[in-house]
Amino acid sequence: MKNHFLTFLALLYLSIGMAQETKNSFTLDEAINFALENNYSAINASRDIADAKKQKWETIAAGLPQINGAVSYQNQLKQPISLIPAEFFGGEEGTFAPVIFSEPQSLTATATLSQQIFDGSYIVGVQATKTFIAYSKNNQEKTKLEVKKAVVQAYGNVLLAEESVKILENNIATLEKNLFETKKIYENGLGDEESVEQLQITLSSVENQLKNAERLKIITLQMLNLTMGIATDSPTLLSDNLDDLAQQETDLAFADTSFNLKNNVDYKMALNLNEQRALELKLQRSKALPTLNAFINYGSSSYSDQFNFFKDETEWFDYSVVGVDLNIPIFSSLKRSASTQRAKIALEKSKTQLTEAEQQIKLQLKKAQSDYILAIEQYATYKENLALAERIENKNQIKYSEGIASSFELRQAQLQLYDAQNTYLQSMVDVINTKTELEVVLNN
């Protein structure tokens, strides 16, 4: 039995260890979908909608019947004394006798039912809850678009760092081979020291770039984890590669996608602002209207010289009141008028802001389309440039090994290749990011 138990513990420990070592692997689409569910901002945006719905009911409930109860207990440690003419008790005329009219202890219980009959601000408040819910939904939509954009950028940066590390490692291997061969030639008296030094300078520079790229690889992965809502130290793996993603996102026809301004989330939020300002104007106007409320209460009181209110023989005295409260605004020294005028000005400003938002969004669309087209064109150009730079560098490698080209010429060709490699990698990331920017504007 003991052996079985130990075996069970060993298997459990092994399974836990394997679970901890399990790595999450994501394509770009999977990373986006995961982030939309687990990103911290996305989670709170969903909570904002739930909060807005509760706030709607909170506002509606304010105009529904309200029942409140109250219990009051008093113990008069020093009872008040009243003076009445002594002649009432057969005393001398013109004199007064001290009298205590009540028991020292009292207990009162009251229940009140109140109902709002008319209040203009309540009607506006109920209307405003619909606008607030719409705003919260639009805000959630905007948050999702921003999360998608952030994931795409972070995912691309990780792939860029990974590809940079691979390329730099290959470049270092080539440089080390060149340096080794050049040193041998120099040691045999067939070369010059400058050639060795030139290669040493290039190698040191590329080695520093590799160290930086390896650090960036860790940091960018942590940033991706944070954006996705995963612990930053989680061993996340990326299933897509940069070249495939760039080719997948290269679609010039997408730049001509039809645009509906009403689908743009920034435009919808600007409309929300207009609706809010219009409601604020209605609210200020409603304050000039009377308010009418009704109430009915029922209560009971008991008095005693000691605390015995819960005994059967205790006598209680009931009372009840019904009534209405009518509040009529008459004169506010033009305060309400000033508030209404300010609300009108705010509404006019929001209309101007809506017009400005329309123009900004249209300009943003043009820029996003232009940036995307430029990114595609540069991607094709830099791909060709990389192939040319590789051929030039290869020719100079051959010429250098044959003693036709100098170390300076080889270094220039190598630096040109390294620059072409970097710009090509960045061009692939730019294609992915600019298409995402365009998708955000289109809300596609």
Side-chain angles (χ1 to χ4, degrees):
M1 184 66 181
K2 181 178 179 180
N3 290 335
H4 287 304
F5 180 70
L6 292 174
T7 303
F8 170 75
L9 287 179
L11 291 173
L12 180 61
Y13 178 80
L14 181 62
S15 64
I16 293 174
M18 293 178 63
Q20 290 176 340
E21 293 177 359
T22 301
K23 297 182 179 181
N24 297 319
S25 179
F26 297 93
T27 64
L28 177 57
D29 289 338
E30 290 171 346
I32 292 171
N33 292 331
F34 185 91
L36 292 177
E37 296 293 330
N38 298 278
N39 176 272
Y40 306 117
S41 297
I43 291 172
N44 282 337
S46 298
R47 289 171 177 160
D48 286 339
I49 293 179
D51 180 72
K53 291 178 179 178
K54 294 300 180 183
Q55 186 172 340
K56 176 183 178 180
W57 178 248
E58 182 181 2
T59 303
I60 293 173
L64 300 178
Q66 309 289 317
I67 299 177
N68 295 297
V71 177
S72 174
Y73 165 72
Q74 290 186 2
N75 186 350
Q76 297 178 353
L77 301 177
K78 191 68 176 179
Q79 291 180 272
I81 297 175
S82 299
L83 297 177
I84 63 173
E87 59 189 273
F88 290 172
F89 304 101
E92 183 180 350
E93 185 177 353
T95 61
F96 294 88
V99 177
I100 297 176
F101 282 100
S102 64
E103 295 285 358
Q105 298 192 46
S106 64
L107 183 67
T108 302
T110 308
T112 303
L113 169 66
S114 58
Q115 173 62 57
Q116 187 180 87
I117 298 176
F118 177 79
D119 189 336
S121 61
Y122 171 75
I123 298 173
V124 176
V126 173
Q127 294 173 341
T129 58
K130 298 177 182 178
T131 301
F132 185 62
I133 290 176
Y135 171 81
S136 298
K137 289 181 178 179
N138 288 333
N139 183 61
Q140 183 190 42
E141 184 178 343
K142 183 176 179 63
T143 300
K144 287 184 175 181
L145 289 172
E146 291 174 347
V147 167
K148 175 185 176 181
K149 178 180 171 181
V151 170
V152 170
Q153 291 176 342
Y155 198 99
N157 288 337
V158 175
L159 292 179
L160 176 61
E162 290 178 346
E163 291 298 322
S164 296
V165 169
K166 293 176 184 177
I167 288 175
L168 289 169
E169 286 175 343
N170 290 333
N171 291 341
I172 287 174
T174 301
L175 285 168
E176 287 176 340
K177 178 182 177 182
N178 289 340
L179 182 60
F180 176 78
E181 293 174 350
T182 303
K183 280 183 176 180
K184 289 296 183 182
I185 294 173
Y186 172 67
E187 290 170 358
N188 293 326
L190 299 176
D192 55 25
E193 187 177 8
E194 182 182 348
S195 298
V196 177
E197 292 171 343
Q198 288 280 6
L199 286 170
Q200 186 63 58
I201 290 172
T202 306
L203 178 60
S204 299
S205 176
V206 176
E207 285 175 339
N208 287 335
Q209 293 175 15
L210 175 60
K211 292 175 184 177
N212 184 57
E214 289 173 338
R215 290 192 296 268
L216 285 176
K217 180 180 175 181
I218 297 172
I219 294 171
T220 53
L221 183 59
Q222 291 176 338
M223 292 179 66
L224 175 61
N225 285 342
L226 179 64
T227 305
M228 292 174 62
I230 302 175
T232 55
D233 58 351
S234 176
T236 304
L237 291 176
L238 278 58
S239 302
D240 288 329
N241 67 71
L242 192 56
D243 190 53
D244 288 344
L245 275 180
Q247 293 182 32
Q248 177 183 323
E249 299 299 322
T250 301
D251 182 9
L252 279 172
F254 183 74
D256 296 325
T257 302
S258 60
F259 175 60
N260 186 349
L261 182 64
K262 294 181 179 179
N263 286 340
N264 184 275
V265 69
D266 290 325
Y267 179 77
K268 289 191 281 188
M269 294 184 77
L271 281 177
N272 286 147
L273 179 62
N274 267 255
E275 293 170 1
Q276 180 183 338
R277 294 292 180 260
L279 288 169
E280 288 174 358
L281 177 58
K282 290 178 68 175
L283 176 63
Q284 293 301 327
R285 287 172 172 169
S286 71
K287 291 181 180 179
L289 301 174
T291 59
L292 182 63
N293 299 288
F295 69 91
I296 181 172
N297 70 7
Y298 179 85
S300 187
S301 300
S302 181
Y303 306 90
S304 177
D305 59 352
Q306 56 184 342
F307 195 90
N308 56 2
F309 299 105
F310 299 106
K311 293 183 178 181
D312 294 337
E313 63 272 14
T314 302
E315 187 174 9
W316 290 85
F317 303 93
D318 298 336
Y319 63 90
S320 181
V321 178
V322 63
V324 293
D325 293 324
L326 177 64
N327 183 22
I328 304 174
I330 297 176
F331 182 65
S332 65
S333 296
L334 300 179
K335 177 183 177 182
R336 286 193 302 274
S337 176
S339 298
T340 302
Q341 293 303 316
R342 288 189 63 198
K344 284 182 179 179
I345 293 171
L347 177 58
E348 292 303 317
K349 286 174 64 177
S350 68
K351 289 180 180 178
T352 302
Q353 290 170 348
L354 178 61
T355 303
E356 181 184 17
E358 291 177 8
Q359 299 304 315
Q360 287 178 339
I361 291 168
K362 290 177 181 178
L363 182 60
Q364 187 181 1
L365 173 65
K366 293 294 183 183
K367 184 178 184 303
Q369 290 172 328
S370 176
D371 290 345
Y372 180 53
I373 293 171
L374 175 62
I376 292 175
E377 292 172 345
Q378 287 182 330
Y379 171 50
T381 300
Y382 292 146
K383 188 173 185 178
E384 294 175 358
N385 290 348
L386 176 61
L388 290 173
E390 287 174 343
R391 286 201 294 271
I392 292 171
E393 195 271 345
N394 186 52
K395 289 177 182 177
N396 276 273
Q397 286 278 4
I398 296 172
K399 289 180 180 179
Y400 179 73
S401 63
E402 295 176 351
I404 301 175
S406 66
S407 60
F408 179 78
E409 291 173 323
L410 175 61
R411 185 169 188 268
Q412 290 300 110
Q414 289 172 332
L415 293 177
Q416 181 176 261
L417 172 62
Y418 302 157
D419 182 64
Q421 290 170 339
N422 290 331
T423 52
Y424 175 62
L425 289 178
Q426 187 60 52
S427 70
M428 290 191 283
V429 175
D430 290 342
V431 169
I432 300 167
N433 289 342
T434 53
K435 186 179 181 184
T436 303
E437 287 278 2
L438 183 55
E439 289 174 341
V440 169
V441 178
L442 296 171
N443 197 5
N444 195 335

